[in-house]
Amino acid sequence: MAYQALYRQWRPEDFTQVVGQTGIVTTLRNQVEMGRIAHAYLLCGSRGTGKTSIAKIMSRAINCLEPDHGNPCGHCANCAALLQGDSLDVMEIDAASETGVDSIRELRDSVQYPPQQCKYKVYIIDEVHMLSTSAANALLKTLEEPPGYVVFILATTEPQRLLPTVLSRCQRFDFSRLSVELIVERLRVVVDSLKKEASDGGLRRIALAAEGGMRDAISLLDMCLSYGREVSESLVQDVLGSSDRGFQFAFADSICQRDPGKLMAQVSAFMGEGRDPAVFAKDMAQHMRALLMVKLSPQGANQLLDLTPEDLQGYVAQAERFSQDRLLRAMEQFLGVESEMRWASSPRFALETAAIRCCLSPEGNDMSAWQERVDELEKTVAQLKEQLSNAMASGIPVAGGQTPSDSQMDAGDRKSPPAQKKKPAKSAADGRKNAGEGAGIDERSASIWKNTRQLLARSNPAVNAYLLNGDLVGAENGTYLWKPHSGFEMFNEMIMGEENLSIVQAALTEAAGEESRFQAVAGDQQAEKKATVEEDLLSFQQSFGAENVTVQEAPVQREEGTY
């Protein structure tokens, strides 16, 4: 005999075996027991939540010769015939394959004939939202006033697509998604009955992946059992093609640190293991959502996310390092790229692009961009305060050889820096901005570069994402010079690779209407380092007051025996 799928073996045969949906089961059993059978039912809910199973059980319960408090006995002639599929009085119709009006007309004609063996003639119409408008209209009259021996049970995952006239003629029951605990409990029963081994972590990972659907969970368990070893969490991850939670935390850490080089290395390692980038994008969207939930609701996050105490601690610690806006932006990036991967020729490039965008500072003048910049500045100030406190605790003089008191520090926090005749040191970001707007770039070259970026955004978003990490700094004789931002020098080598270079030069040539070349130039690391030091000094002065901060040059270290 051919192997029967595990979810079919474990399909419930009476109301007592249904997992979850307690309210629906209670209502239907009471109707059967009291003989108050409606002529039309509508069962709504996501896949695998028990709609078809309950429709089959209901068809047996109303025809059972010896019902037990509204539950089919499973032993009488009618129950036996219906369980074996030998009765012609219960018909299952797949509306997805019989959408036309002719099929409904045949159904309407067959309704006129009474049941042959059972008390009721039951029509179970699955995926009823797939019926065409004309077919649904043809069903209306029969659905409203069927013969007394006819019962319609309609099932759908998309009730919003049904005609209001159909909805108003049915008793509607909405099926909820099953909780992780209920699914794990049922899976444990299945595993124990089969005398197999499965860890709690592995079953929990299956339940999370099923997203509230029991059929999906049992099908996934069936796949894992076919490996012939214990169903562990790592095995489930291999079957799903997803990453473990530790890798997700590490990936989120790289995003928090704005380290695109490390992210690229992690993506390379991830792809080298044969993982599915679309599944990983979905996992990262869920990870960012979990961090956001922890940040928004620290007390109720465990109930919202269904986490173990250990996982909750990890999420709380990592969430403190992100602002709400950054988490929202990262979640949007991964949600968007998950759908884009269906059409992308290289899903890996799409994943890398999303990861790099998560590292970039927000641009624009909208409120969310400004808020994220303010959050970053506050974070920097907090780090500077901590560094200064550590220096004071170590006895290092910071102002004229004296350590300021706590009251002086508080006063410094409240004071604004005194008016200075000297211009404040320019930041590295200002230097980059001026470089992009300054020497060697005329209006025509700037326009060509803008058009080039637009072309790349449509044709090759991954290469365009690389260019986001620098600015055009010069254009002369058809050669366009691009310089990376400070800390992003690794993109020089990436963008100057043979394939990427040809892509950029082709886009430049198309935008300019003439043969054009591209060259990535190395940044002046010494100047960038100096600008960064000046920027840090300015931050110290603004935070603690210029009078509380002095700068001393370190003495020159000479080797012994030199003059």
Side-chain angles (χ1 to χ4, degrees):
M1 182 177 178
Y3 175 74
Q4 188 179 40
L6 204 56
Y7 80 87
R8 293 183 61 192
Q9 298 178 37
W10 285 85
R11 184 188 291 275
E13 295 184 352
D14 58 45
F15 286 123
T16 63
Q17 297 178 6
V18 175
V19 177
Q21 321 304 347
T22 305
I24 296 174
V25 168
T26 301
T27 303
L28 294 179
R29 290 188 67 173
N30 288 340
Q31 288 188 359
V32 174
E33 190 171 10
M34 292 185 294
R36 299 173 59 89
I37 310 301
H39 66 273
Y41 295 91
L42 177 62
L43 311 183
C44 313
S46 57
R47 69 183 188 274
T49 52
K51 300 185 299 297
T52 304
S53 295
I54 284 185
K56 290 174 179 288
I57 295 170
M58 186 66 175
S59 69
R60 293 196 296 273
I62 61 179
N63 286 310
C64 181
L65 300 176
E66 300 175 1
D68 179 16
H69 298 291
N71 204 44
C73 68
H75 305 296
C76 67
N78 287 352
C79 284
L82 292 174
L83 281 171
Q84 295 174 7
D86 295 337
S87 176
L88 297 177
D89 293 332
V90 175
M91 283 159 281
E92 296 185 39
I93 301 170
D94 180 17
S97 57
E98 299 183 26
T99 61
V101 68
D102 292 338
S103 300
I104 298 303
R105 285 173 180 163
E106 292 177 7
L107 182 151
R108 190 174 57 186
D109 293 339
S110 69
V111 164
Q112 307 305 320
Y113 301 101
Q116 297 180 356
Q117 180 182 357
C118 298
K119 181 179 178 181
Y120 290 96
K121 198 170 188 178
V122 183
Y123 292 87
I124 301 174
I125 305 179
D126 201 10
E127 300 298 337
V128 68
H129 65 271
M130 298 293 289
L131 289 177
S132 64
T133 303
S134 57
N137 285 326
L139 182 64
L140 281 178
K141 187 62 176 176
T142 305
L143 196 63
E144 183 177 19
E145 296 179 358
Y149 51 78
V150 171
V151 174
F152 287 97
I153 304 180
L154 315 180
T156 178
T157 56
E158 301 181 45
Q160 71 278 2
R161 293 178 56 182
L162 293 177
L163 296 175
T165 47
V166 172
L167 294 172
S168 65
R169 287 164 168 79
C170 303
Q171 286 193 9
R172 175 171 173 170
F173 295 89
D174 289 283
F175 286 62
S176 60
R177 293 178 183 269
L178 303 178
S179 67
V180 172
E181 284 76 14
L182 282 175
I183 295 178
V184 169
E185 183 180 343
R186 184 66 168 178
L187 294 179
R188 177 58 67 187
V189 172
V190 174
V191 170
D192 290 345
S193 69
L194 297 174
K195 298 182 179 179
K196 302 292 184 179
E197 297 292 330
S199 68
D200 292 339
L203 296 183
R204 189 177 188 84
R205 190 69 182 86
I206 290 175
L208 289 170
E211 297 182 342
M214 184 63 75
R215 182 174 64 241
D216 289 358
I218 296 180
S219 295
L220 182 54
L221 176 64
D222 201 358
M223 293 173 60
C224 295
L225 289 173
S226 65
Y227 278 70
R229 55 188 175 94
E230 181 188 17
V231 180
S232 62
E233 191 168 0
S234 61
L235 174 61
V236 177
Q237 288 160 3
D238 290 337
V239 172
L240 290 172
S242 62
S243 59
D244 61 20
R245 189 159 289 173
F247 186 85
Q248 294 167 23
F249 274 103
F251 202 81
D253 280 338
S254 299
I255 292 174
C256 183
Q257 297 163 9
R258 299 188 188 276
D259 190 341
K262 189 174 181 180
L263 283 173
M264 295 300 100
Q266 288 172 322
V267 171
S268 179
F270 171 83
M271 296 297 295
E273 295 176 356
R275 307 289 187 179
D276 187 343
V279 174
F280 179 67
K282 181 179 179 180
D283 288 343
M284 285 307 303
Q286 292 175 340
H287 185 85
M288 293 300 173
R289 174 184 174 271
L291 292 174
L292 185 61
M293 293 298 102
V294 168
K295 200 167 189 69
L296 294 175
S297 179
Q299 304 302 324
N302 197 24
Q303 288 72 29
L304 289 171
L305 300 170
D306 196 18
L307 299 171
T308 63
E310 295 77 13
D311 287 338
L312 181 61
Q313 289 180 356
Y315 279 114
V316 169
Q318 192 169 64
E320 291 177 354
R321 302 170 57 194
F322 282 92
S323 66
Q324 293 181 16
D325 290 309
R326 280 206 72 188
L327 291 173
L328 275 172
R329 197 154 59 92
M331 187 166 65
E332 290 170 355
Q333 287 291 340
F334 288 115
L335 285 174
V337 78
E338 182 189 356
S339 59
E340 290 175 8
M341 285 181 183
R342 300 175 187 173
W343 319 110
S345 58
S346 177
R348 174 175 179 169
F349 288 173
L351 178 61
E352 289 176 339
T353 301
I356 291 174
R357 284 175 178 166
C358 290
C359 292
L360 299 178
S361 298
E363 298 180 353
N365 294 320
D366 59 280
M367 184 58 69
S368 62
W370 280 108
Q371 182 61 49
E372 187 165 340
R373 292 171 194 162
V374 170
D375 290 340
E376 290 293 327
L377 287 173
E378 289 178 346
K379 185 177 178 181
T380 301
V381 170
Q383 291 173 346
L384 291 171
K385 286 182 178 180
E386 184 178 358
Q387 293 173 9
L388 185 59
S389 298
N390 294 336
M392 292 167 55
S394 302
I396 300 175
V398 294
Q402 296 180 358
T403 300
S405 64
D406 292 340
S407 60
Q408 288 176 319
M409 285 190 65
D410 293 339
D413 286 339
R414 291 192 297 270
K415 280 195 250 177
S416 299
Q420 308 244 351
K421 293 184 180 180
K422 277 198 317 183
K423 289 185 179 180
K426 292 184 179 180
S427 67
D430 292 335
R432 290 196 301 267
K433 182 177 179 183
N434 292 338
E437 298 172 351
I441 305 178
D442 55 25
E443 185 175 348
R444 178 175 180 273
S445 299
S447 177
I448 290 173
W449 181 247
K450 180 179 179 181
N451 293 337
T452 300
R453 293 288 303 281
Q454 291 174 348
L455 288 171
L456 288 172
R458 293 192 297 268
S459 63
N460 201 309
V463 174
N464 185 54
Y466 296 156
L467 294 174
L468 287 173
N469 299 286
D471 297 303
L472 185 70
V473 295
E476 185 177 358
N477 299 327
T479 298
Y480 292 79
L481 303 178
W482 176 87
K483 178 182 175 182
H485 295 162
S486 176
F488 289 81
E489 288 79 8
M490 82 286 291
F491 285 98
N492 270 27
E493 183 177 349
M494 297 172 68
I495 204 67
M496 289 301 290
E498 183 177 350
E499 182 178 356
N500 291 337
L501 179 61
S502 63
I503 290 172
V504 176
Q505 292 189 152
L508 272 170
T509 299
E510 181 178 351
E514 60 184 7
E515 187 70 25
S516 301
R517 293 168 298 282
F518 175 86
Q519 179 64 46
V521 296
D524 186 348
Q525 296 183 358
Q526 189 65 26
E528 294 285 0
K529 183 176 180 181
K530 181 180 179 181
T532 303
V533 171
E534 292 174 345
E535 187 177 9
D536 290 343
L537 176 60
L538 180 61
S539 297
F540 269 110
Q541 291 173 338
Q542 290 175 339
S543 300
F544 308 109
E547 71 278 7
N548 291 325
V549 179
T550 60
V551 179
Q552 296 179 347
E553 292 191 9
V556 178
Q557 299 291 331
R558 297 183 181 275
E559 295 181 2
E560 187 176 351
T562 61
Y563 299 93

